[in-house]
Amino acid sequence: MSMPFFRSFSQSIAKRWSSTCGYRELLVIAGPLVVTTSAFSIQHFVDRMFLFWHSDVSVGASMSAGVLFFTVVSLAMGTVRYVNVFIAQYFGSGRDDQVGPVLWQSIYVAVVSGFLIMLLWFVSPALFALVGHEAAVQAEEVIYFRILCLGAVPTLLACSLDSFYTGLGRTAPIMWVSLAATLVNIILDYALIFGRFGLPALGITGAALATVIAGTFSCICFMIMLSQRKHDTRFYVRRGWRPNPVLFWRLLKFGLPSGIQFFVDIVGFSVFILLIGRLGTVELAASTLAFNVNMLAFMPMMGMGIAVSVVVGRCLGSNDPDNAQYGVYSGFHLTAIYMTVIAATYVLLPDLYIHPFAAKADPTTLPEVRRLTIVLLRFVAVYCVFDALNIIFISAIKGAGDTRFVMHLMLGMSLVGLVLPSLAAIILFDAGIYAIWTILTVYIIALGGVFYWRFHNGAWREMRVT
């Protein structure tokens, strides 16, 4: 009885592997993106590890300031990156001459937004004074945040430019640029934090400078690559530079809700991190380590999410929602398997992840931080499995253009499910770290269920952005 079952199962796997929008096709698109997002997570993992070696104050400050910067930049980032859905649908429908013009509208949003973010340099001390962290942490938060703000323009430009390749499903160039930028960042991190290779020891200032320089390097690489004549010949990448009000507002119509959703999601997470900082330095350091370990699971699968979004956009561009749905479930299967395996290692082998941080950490604070981090990784293990639902099904419905639903849902659930309960737990009930992490875990599980329901409902099948 078992043999027919296994034979049927293996045949099903083989069929899904080779089918249109099956495992193989998803992996061809997602593979380089998984490497890219993995490189991003490794870059931040190493950055936090070096800072933990330098000081537990620095690693806590870099987490809170880094999350606040990402919150500020996320609105623009979510908007400009949505151009990849436009490009995928134009490409799927054979309208290649619209690819360059819509890409340029995204570039304009990136540049203007980047310059506005730079102005936050002047108000950053007041922002962190409101948070109420310890004075030593506040001072380093301001330094880290200010330098990241100076790099906002190249950061957003790189997001816009790499969307050309993700939209077309040609993701290998993004991978190579990302790997090179990660190498640049790690080398500069080590050199500028600790004063190596003849460079000054700048601590958290050096970490921020390394991040900005690596981001600028990525931006320059994409600018050079996109200036090739072949891209202009087919996709009007050079000729499409003129402002196009119709395309610009259409991009904002669909992209801005996507950006707001991303912003709200990060705001909720930022408030969560900042509230943890009120519990104490050890709690903030342990949470920082746990979140950075979680990035090793979450960020690679963001690459799969982007691939799913591209497949949905391309299929809907050619009016083929059935294959789009097939591709979404292919992506979900792969993501769920990966997340489950990683979750098991968080529970069974937590020191595998903690050891790199512990190598040169302060021995007086390490035992307490390590003990707490091991417990927090169990929370991560529970919710990261459900994050597979979030990653894939959010990407799927956004790839169709269902961005307003995503925006409205995130506005409501982030406020009611994460921010207000966390505020009440800490301020009104004087709750501890475990209560706060329980709130986060329940919130992520609930999100996954709602987004799966929305996809299963099927409204996305009739949507188009072009």
Side-chain angles (χ1 to χ4, degrees):
M1 187 173 182
S2 61
M3 287 302 293
F5 170 78
F6 284 114
R7 187 180 300 112
S8 175
F9 180 74
S10 62
Q11 288 173 349
S12 176
I13 295 295
K15 179 182 177 182
R16 189 171 279 272
W17 173 263
S18 57
S19 298
T20 300
C21 297
Y23 298 143
R24 181 170 60 189
E25 185 174 332
L26 259 292
L27 288 172
V28 167
I29 299 173
L33 293 174
V34 168
V35 173
T36 298
T37 50
S38 298
F40 177 81
S41 62
I42 290 169
Q43 176 178 316
H44 283 263
F45 186 90
V46 172
D47 181 81
R48 302 295 191 263
M49 180 181 72
F50 286 159
L51 283 172
F52 193 72
W53 294 355
H54 174 68
S55 161
D56 58 347
V57 170
S58 293
V59 73
S62 70
M63 183 66 178
S64 50
V67 167
L68 184 58
F69 171 75
F70 198 59
T71 301
V72 170
V73 83
S74 62
L75 177 61
M77 187 178 288
T79 304
V80 301
R81 272 238 160 98
Y82 197 75
V83 75
N84 65 21
V85 173
F86 278 79
I87 291 172
Q89 291 197 19
Y90 280 132
F91 184 59
S93 62
R95 300 167 66 188
D96 294 351
D97 62 324
Q98 292 298 301
V99 169
V102 77
L103 178 64
W104 273 99
Q105 311 315 306
S106 175
I107 289 171
Y108 296 140
V109 175
V111 172
V112 172
S113 301
F115 278 112
L116 290 175
I117 290 168
M118 289 173 64
L119 298 177
L120 293 175
W121 168 285
F122 301 103
V123 298
S124 54
L127 286 175
F128 288 101
L130 288 173
V131 175
H133 290 175
E134 297 173 9
V137 176
Q138 270 190 54
E140 296 208 358
E141 285 171 336
V142 170
I143 292 169
Y144 196 75
F145 181 79
R146 279 180 159 177
I147 295 172
L148 292 185
C149 285
L150 293 181
V153 171
T155 296
L156 290 172
L157 268 178
C159 292
S160 177
L161 297 175
D162 72 21
S163 297
F164 171 82
Y165 294 101
T166 55
L168 298 179
R170 301 172 184 175
T171 51
I174 302 173
M175 177 184 70
W176 294 116
V177 171
S178 177
L179 289 174
T182 297
L183 183 62
V184 169
N185 183 268
I186 291 174
I187 292 172
L188 288 176
D189 251 343
Y190 181 70
L192 291 171
I193 291 173
F194 301 109
R196 302 290 190 264
F197 314 128
L199 295 173
L202 300 176
I204 197 169
T205 301
L209 287 172
T211 299
V212 170
I213 292 169
T216 304
F217 172 82
S218 295
C219 179
I220 292 170
C221 287
F222 285 122
M223 290 173 69
I224 293 170
M225 290 159 56
L226 281 170
S227 66
Q228 297 176 75
R229 181 174 296 177
K230 65 179 181 179
H231 294 320
D232 187 53
T233 300
R234 180 174 180 181
F235 298 110
Y236 287 55
V237 170
R238 293 185 199 167
R239 287 176 284 174
W241 65 268
R242 292 176 179 81
N244 184 321
V246 174
L247 273 181
F248 182 84
W249 291 112
R250 194 160 186 82
L251 174 62
L252 289 184
K253 177 183 176 182
F254 291 96
L256 188 58
S258 176
I260 292 172
Q261 170 261 314
F262 194 29
F263 172 75
V264 170
D265 193 16
I266 301 302
V267 165
F269 181 74
S270 300
V271 171
F272 183 81
I273 289 292
L274 295 173
L275 286 172
I276 287 175
R278 296 174 67 97
L279 296 176
T281 301
V282 169
E283 287 83 355
L284 182 58
S287 296
T288 298
L289 297 195
F291 281 127
N292 276 278
V293 170
N294 181 42
M295 285 181 68
L296 297 176
F298 181 79
M299 288 306 298
M301 290 302 96
M302 287 300 292
M304 182 63 73
I306 295 170
V308 165
S309 181
V310 169
V311 166
V312 169
R314 193 189 312 181
C315 289
L316 292 184
S318 57
N319 293 314
D320 188 1
D322 290 337
N323 268 330
Q325 179 169 312
Y326 193 82
V328 171
Y329 281 111
S330 296
F332 175 68
H333 296 163
L334 295 170
T335 303
I337 291 169
Y338 173 85
M339 289 294 212
T340 301
V341 171
I342 291 294
T345 66
Y346 288 163
V347 175
L348 301 174
L349 302 168
D351 281 318
L352 179 69
Y353 301 100
I354 297 173
H355 180 71
F357 290 94
K360 296 185 180 181
D362 183 351
T364 61
T365 58
L366 176 62
E368 194 174 356
V369 172
R370 175 186 171 277
R371 178 193 61 79
L372 184 55
T373 303
I374 288 174
V375 177
L376 297 184
L377 284 177
R378 294 170 189 164
F379 285 92
V380 176
V382 172
Y383 74 62
C384 79
V385 175
F386 290 90
D387 248 356
L389 291 167
N390 286 314
I391 292 168
I392 298 303
F393 294 111
I394 287 178
S395 300
I397 63 178
K398 286 173 68 175
D402 196 8
T403 55
R404 290 186 179 274
F405 172 83
V406 177
M407 176 186 69
H408 291 144
L409 180 71
M410 289 302 303
L411 279 168
M413 289 198 67
S414 181
L415 182 64
V416 175
L418 183 61
V419 174
L420 291 180
S422 299
L423 280 168
I426 288 180
I427 295 174
L428 298 181
F429 300 105
D430 199 25
I433 187 73
Y434 300 139
I436 301 302
W437 273 76
T438 299
I439 291 169
L440 176 67
T441 302
V442 172
Y443 166 72
I444 291 174
I445 292 172
L447 272 184
V450 174
F451 282 117
Y452 170 73
W453 166 82
R454 180 64 174 183
F455 177 80
H456 186 70
N457 179 263
W460 61 272
R461 296 171 67 91
E462 305 301 323
M463 296 181 180
R464 305 292 186 274
V465 301
T466 56

